[in-house]
Each structure stands twice: as structure tokens, then as C-alpha cells.
Amino acid sequence: KEGDEPVLVNDLGNLRVLMVEDNRACREVMEGYLKDFKYDTESFETGEQALGAIKDKEYDLVLMDWKLDGID
């Protein structure tokens, strides 16, 4: 929309992020970036683990590998 201001990363506050990535190196790099922004980040290796996590906690954003073994 015309006149809308861009949202800056720092304006997102204490975002709760769930990340699902089966590659350990990629998971660690992404965790580092997200934690640098002070986001409350939890990461999991499998879709099954992520499904278990969302039963207990709400997340603002889910970042997920597009091709996981098992549930993807």
C-alpha cells in the first residue's frame, strides 16, 4: 500500500521462532542469526519434533526446510 512504512527487523520485538532443519550446520547458522536479533528461537531436526513443540507453545514464525525425511 502507498504510504506504508517498511517493517525493520528491530521492530519485530521478541518474536517466537520455530525452525525445522535436518542439516545440523544450516540449523546452527540460522540459530545464530536469529539469536543475534534477540528472537526466542527453538530449532528441531525433524517435522515430528516440531509438531510436538507446537502442541505446547505458540510461535509467531515457523521456518522449515522444504524437504525433510519423514513429515515435511
Side-chain angles (χ1 to χ4, degrees):
K1 294 179 189 178
E2 188 175 322
D4 284 350
E5 294 295 320
V7 175
L8 302 176
V9 173
N10 293 339
D11 293 339
L12 296 176
N14 195 19
L15 203 63
R16 291 178 307 252
V17 180
L18 171 70
M19 182 179 52
V20 188
E21 172 58 66
D22 57 352
N23 181 294
R24 189 182 81 207
C26 291
R27 193 171 56 248
E28 289 174 359
V29 168
M30 285 300 297
E31 282 176 341
Y33 285 132
L34 294 166
K35 288 181 180 183
D36 284 348
F37 288 119
K38 309 291 189 240
Y39 297 152
D40 179 13
T41 304
E42 289 189 72
S43 63
F44 298 95
E45 186 175 350
T46 69
E48 291 88 350
Q49 293 169 332
L51 287 175
I54 63 173
K55 291 178 182 177
D56 300 325
K57 186 175 180 181
E58 290 185 17
Y59 295 90
D60 301 306
L61 175 66
V62 175
L63 300 175
M64 191 167 184
D65 187 345
W66 71 281
K67 184 154 174 55
L68 295 167
D69 290 334
I71 297 174
D72 65 349

